[in-house]
Amino acid sequence: MPVISEEAYAIQYAARKMTEETAGGRAEVHAQVGINVAPCLQNCVFCSFAARNAIFRHSKAMPPEEVIERCLAFEGQGANAIYLMATANFPFEEFLRFGRQVREALQPDTVLIANIGDFDDEGAIALRKAGFNGIYHAIRLGEGAVTGIKPERRLQTVRAARRAGLLVGTCVEPVGPEHTLDELVEKTLLTREMRPVFSGAARRIAIPGTDLAGLGMVSEARMALILAVVRLAVGRGVSFNCTHEPNDIGAMAGANLFWAENGANPRDPEEKTENNRGYTVAKCREILREAGWELVTGPSRAFQTGCSG
Ligand code: SF4
């Protein structure tokens, strides 16, 4: 439907009211540290790490002390959950070591989330033991066609995480102008079936020089309608509704979860996204406040009251 229509505004109003009810009128800011850059052979066309995009030709990980320092800074700035993100080819054991060190440094009740490649039951248990509370994982739009990973593999990871007691956050992403209504519906229903702690919708960012950049980007106005539809579709069992990157229109339409970012970022050709696309915790909080949300203080409620698990 047209973005500027009575129906589209009614949907966004209904989505906003639903999220206000399920989350008690509150919003959260989660914060992600991207701990490495590397050319990744999974070759997801939309990702700056895809080897085929030839943006990052070298592999480099942050020193553990720097990762800890960045996580502590995010915690001190009031982020409700801390995410560690690594490329899919980052050694799993090394990621666990980072996780354990960060867990030890953070407050015991600070929520720690892994945003990494696929793993099995053993990996899920190891993540739990390392101190992670959950994962972010998505079956992306075009999964298996514009990525080197089969959708079933992504789903197996989600199931393994749930079996190990890790909570799962997800999102319909990365939405581009080329995606059909059918695919958006299919992925929306898939996020609902995953019974996540949050869902939502995020657009694909056009990375200059990549194959998909020529297709352009969905406007924030249309994304607001899409995230509102996703919100209504997943229902009241999912308390929080995310969008990325943070924006005012999405927050008005019912998105109550944003991400601050530093370090590596799959939507950014810069090695340190804080110098380019990455938002700060303060900026995310300001956008949410301006849209009329109160902010959760302390550990994430999304990762405590959600229905995953
Ligand atoms: S999205 Fe993940 S799996 Fe895909 S290319 Fe980027 S780092 Fe690799």
Side-chain angles (χ1 to χ4, degrees), residues 114-180:
N115 183 3
I116 54 173
D118 292 289
F119 50 80
D120 55 15
D121 282 304
E122 205 183 320
I125 292 164
L127 285 167
R128 193 86 183 91
K129 280 192 181 149
F132 287 95
N133 304 90
I135 62 164
Y136 175 83
H137 216 65
I139 291 84
R140 286 82 51 92
L141 287 147
E143 195 77 76
V146 299
T147 75
I149 311 167
K150 290 197 167 62
E152 186 52 29
R153 180 75 193 97
R154 306 287 292 175
L155 274 171
Q156 282 166 0
T157 298
V158 169
R159 291 189 198 112
R162 290 166 57 84
R163 280 193 290 271
L166 292 162
L167 297 168
V168 178
T170 193
C171 184
V172 176
E173 56 116 336
V175 181
E178 75 280 15
H179 293 122
T180 62

Side-chain angles (χ1 to χ4, degrees), residues 38-51 53 85-89 116-118 140 143 146-149 154 266:
C40 177
L41 292 175
Q42 301 293 356
N43 272 325
C44 308
V45 185
F46 44 77
C47 174
S48 60
F49 305 123
N53 289 334
M85 186 207 69
T87 58
N89 55 356
I116 54 173
D118 292 289
R140 286 82 51 92
E143 195 77 76
V146 299
T147 75
I149 311 167
R154 306 287 292 175

Side-chain angles (χ1 to χ4, degrees), residues 4-305:
I4 308 302
S5 64
E6 213 172 318
E7 292 86 352
Y9 275 77
I11 286 169
Q12 289 170 70
Y13 173 73
R16 170 77 186 238
K17 293 310 280 185
M18 188 186 274
T19 301
E20 282 183 5
E21 281 168 31
T22 57
R26 286 170 193 268
E28 294 191 357
V29 175
H30 297 184
Q32 175 164 280
V33 179
I35 67 174
N36 80 308
V37 296
C40 177
L41 292 175
Q42 301 293 356
N43 272 325
C44 308
V45 185
F46 44 77
C47 174
S48 60
F49 305 123
R52 60 176 283 167
N53 289 334
I55 293 170
F56 295 106
R57 294 168 192 268
H58 64 293
S59 298
K60 186 170 149 196
M62 261 183 213
E65 312 76 52
E66 186 179 345
V67 174
I68 291 168
E69 196 181 304
R70 285 168 180 259
C71 291
L72 288 175
F74 274 150
E75 185 185 57
Q77 290 153 16
N80 305 106
I82 308 293
Y83 291 44
L84 291 188
M85 186 207 69
T87 58
N89 55 356
F90 190 71
F92 190 72
E93 285 301 325
E94 206 175 319
F95 184 80
L96 291 176
R97 272 199 298 279
F98 274 96
R100 281 190 287 268
Q101 286 174 282
V102 169
R103 172 81 278 165
E104 205 168 299
L106 294 172
Q107 296 295 320
D109 57 355
T110 294
V111 172
L112 181 62
I113 305 300
N115 183 3
I116 54 173
D118 292 289
F119 50 80
D120 55 15
D121 282 304
E122 205 183 320
I125 292 164
L127 285 167
R128 193 86 183 91
K129 280 192 181 149
F132 287 95
N133 304 90
I135 62 164
Y136 175 83
H137 216 65
I139 291 84
R140 286 82 51 92
L141 287 147
E143 195 77 76
V146 299
T147 75
I149 311 167
K150 290 197 167 62
E152 186 52 29
R153 180 75 193 97
R154 306 287 292 175
L155 274 171
Q156 282 166 0
T157 298
V158 169
R159 291 189 198 112
R162 290 166 57 84
R163 280 193 290 271
L166 292 162
L167 297 168
V168 178
T170 193
C171 184
V172 176
E173 56 116 336
V175 181
E178 75 280 15
H179 293 122
T180 62
L181 189 54
D182 280 352
E183 186 167 11
L184 290 171
V185 169
E186 183 218 339
K187 293 297 188 298
T188 300
L189 296 181
L190 206 50
T191 72
R192 182 169 70 185
E193 283 162 25
M194 283 162 64
R195 290 191 286 139
V197 296
F198 64 78
S199 185
R203 67 177 175 173
R204 186 185 68 238
I205 300 299
I207 302 172
T210 59
D211 287 352
L212 289 179
L215 297 177
M217 297 203 294
V218 178
S219 68
E220 288 181 349
R222 178 153 289 280
M223 280 311 303
L225 174 58
I226 294 172
L227 73 87
V229 172
V230 172
R231 202 289 154 262
L232 294 176
V234 297
R236 289 189 163 75
V238 180
S239 304
F240 283 75
N241 187 37
C242 68
T243 197
H244 201 55
E245 296 168 339
N247 69 90
D248 312 72
I249 314 174
M252 279 302 289
N256 68 334
L257 170 53
F258 285 170
W259 282 271
E261 291 172 286
N262 70 34
N265 169 354
R267 284 163 283 95
D268 201 334
E270 292 284 327
E271 203 169 297
K272 290 191 168 31
T273 195
E274 61 271 29
N275 299 329
N276 193 30
R277 302 204 70 88
Y279 280 68
T280 61
V281 173
K283 185 65 188 167
C284 292
R285 287 165 73 97
E286 181 192 323
I287 297 171
L288 290 163
R289 256 199 227 103
E290 290 285 357
W293 293 102
E294 280 180 53
L295 289 155
V296 171
T297 52
S300 167
R301 292 191 187 179
F303 273 103
Q304 285 169 10
T305 59

